[in-house]
């Protein structure tokens, strides 16, 4: 088979976006996806900031709901309702969302192959070679000048190449089921609900909701408990609606590139360390990866020294967000339920809501974190967090 310019491994949002950009610039791009169809069985709540569609010129047909109001439920069932001045995010159908990106990549000239699992990768002086296993167990080899690893939380190929892989994870679990009346996005906090992070219920259209959580503990057990406590045991206890799990990568990675290869999206740890969302950072970094690869083709030089520019650029954009979010979330995971409860009461009286209204941004959280830490720094715990983060925030 003729050697491609770029092989993209993984047809999630990050890989498909990079493939589309590179194909649009005239390169011969092949996307290899192990699943039998793009977007199949993705474990994701599908919330993206409203700006994503305009920023990346994306089709809006995948949008199910627009979000404007959020209910926050404390460990002791205190409820706060926050209404943003306008819709700030959308819930999407991930299969449709990913397929819109696949269609854009194919229209630009990329080839997308499903049932194509990359089992092995080797980098030589002249190019990259991958071993691909198809749905029937057949094996073939494909070669390219450059490979993009966009494999999400599947890190086998990165390990093989000695690229960095995340060391910290949150365990995610989710069900999507018919839950009429659950049409307001609700976040649940507390050590009993989602130790280490938080849980949610998000409307998914036609009377359905996605109920999920991130935790450091057993995510299925925690989700069953949440369903029992807040959803009359439905739907997780019924065998017909499976709870699906997947980890979320956390923390800043160094070493997301090598000779002729780079990692993008969740594979490179490019997720929001506050909420676990990774779609928009993945799209953003896919564009940076495409820019740098195109520059490499301009020079016909694909060494690690050339691709290092990719990591420099994505860190320039995301390092502060990832580091500040990661530290803050880990510190907040130490809060007792009593302390969380007192924050809920403080929020009702203490001018926190106006700060959120002014500073909240769906994808960029460090500005809000610093503003809240400043406001709460009369409490020693938050003063310590703020002091610890000061140097990062200033850099
Ligand atoms: C419970 C939960 C809820 C979430 N909710 C949200 C949310 O609301 N908003 C948000 O922004 N993010 C959310 N996320 C995170 C989001 O799902 C990921 O960050 C996002 O999918 C990352 O995109 P990606 O393209 O980097 O990787 P992925 O979407 O994971 O795509 C990777 C692709 O690579 C393929 N692949 C892997 N290995 C190989 C191989 N060897 N050969 C061929 N193909 C391979 C996989 O099959 C997959 O299709 C959530 C995560 C969880 C666990």
């Amino acid at each position: 088979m003729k050697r491609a310019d770029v092989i993209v491994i993984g047809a999630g949002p990050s890989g498909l976006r990079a493939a589309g950009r590179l194909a649009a610039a005239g390169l011969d791009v092949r996307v290899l996806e192990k699943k039998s169809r793009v977007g199949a069985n993705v474990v994701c709540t599908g919330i993206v900031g409203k700006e994503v569609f305009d920023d990346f010129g994306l089709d809006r047909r995948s949008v199910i709901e627009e979000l404007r109001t959020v209910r926050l439920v404390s460990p002791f069932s205190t409820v706060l309702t926050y209404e943003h001045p306008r819709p700030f995010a959308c819930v999407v159908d991930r299969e449709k969302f990913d397929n819109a990106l696949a269609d854009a990549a194919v229209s630009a000239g990329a080839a997308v192959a499903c049932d194509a699992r990359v089992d092995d990768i080797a980098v030589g002086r002249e190019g990259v070679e991958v071993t691909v296993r198809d749905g029937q167990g057949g094996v073939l080899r494909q070669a390219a000048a450059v490979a993009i690893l966009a494999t999400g939380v599947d890190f086998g190929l990165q390990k093989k190449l000695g690229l960095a892989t995340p060391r910290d994870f949150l365990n995610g679990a989710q069900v999507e089921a018919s839950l009429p009346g659950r049409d307001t996005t609700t976040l649940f906090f507390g050590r009993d609900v989602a130790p280490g992070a938080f849980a949610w219920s998000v409307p998914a259209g036609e009377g359905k909701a996605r109920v999920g959580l991130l935790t450091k503990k057993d995510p299925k057990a925690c989700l069953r408990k949440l369903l029992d406590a807040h959803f009359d045991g439905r739907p997780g206890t019924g065998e017909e609606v499976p709870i699906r799990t997947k980890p979320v990568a956390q923390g800043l990675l160094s070493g997301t590139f090598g000779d002729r290869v780079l990692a993008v999206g969740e594979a490179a740890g490019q997720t929001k360390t506050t909420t676990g969302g990774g779609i928009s950072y993945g799209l953003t970094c896919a564009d940076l990866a495409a820019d740098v690869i195109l520059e490499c083709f301009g020079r016909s030089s694909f060494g690690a020294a050339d691709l290092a520019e990719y990591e420099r650029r994505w860190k320039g954009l995301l390092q502060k967000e990832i580091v500040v979010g990661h530290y803050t979330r880990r510190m907040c995971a130490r809060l007792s339920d009593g302390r969380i409860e007192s924050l809920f009461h403080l929020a009702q009286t203490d001018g926190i809501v106006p700060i959120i209204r002014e500073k909240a941004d769906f994808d960029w959280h460090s500005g809000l974190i610093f503003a809240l830490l400043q406001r709460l720094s009369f409490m020693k715990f938050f003063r310590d967090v703020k002091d610890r983060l000061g140097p990062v925030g200033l850099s």
Side-chain angles (χ1 to χ4, degrees), residues 261-272:
V261 290
L262 56 77
V264 72
E266 192 154 9
Q270 291 155 349
T271 59
K272 289 182 270 186

Side-chain angles (χ1 to χ4, degrees), residues 251-288:
L252 187 73
L253 289 191
S254 293
T256 55
F257 62 93
D259 285 337
R260 295 183 179 272
V261 290
L262 56 77
V264 72
E266 192 154 9
Q270 291 155 349
T271 59
K272 289 182 270 186
T273 36
T274 41
T275 62
I279 298 171
S280 67
Y281 283 5
L283 295 174
T284 302
C285 295
D287 280 357
L288 298 177

Side-chain angles (χ1 to χ4, degrees), residues 173-175 219-221 223-224 227 235-238 241-245:
Q174 183 172 272
V175 282
K220 267 193 184 177
L223 188 49
R224 285 205 187 92
L227 292 165
T237 47
V241 188
I243 293 179
R244 305 190 43 233
T245 60

Side-chain angles (χ1 to χ4, degrees), residues 325-373:
H326 196 207
Y327 184 74
T328 307
R329 194 193 51 69
R330 280 182 304 157
M331 290 304 289
C332 287
R334 294 188 196 173
L335 290 172
S336 66
D337 281 354
R339 185 64 74 87
I340 297 173
E341 187 66 23
S342 60
L343 284 172
F344 266 69
H345 291 288
L346 208 59
Q348 288 168 312
T349 56
D350 196 52
I352 286 176
V353 172
I355 295 176
I356 296 175
R357 199 163 278 135
E358 188 196 331
K359 299 277 182 187
D361 183 290
F362 189 74
D363 286 323
W364 308 97
H365 298 167
S366 63
L368 175 62
I369 289 172
F370 278 107
L372 288 176
L373 290 175

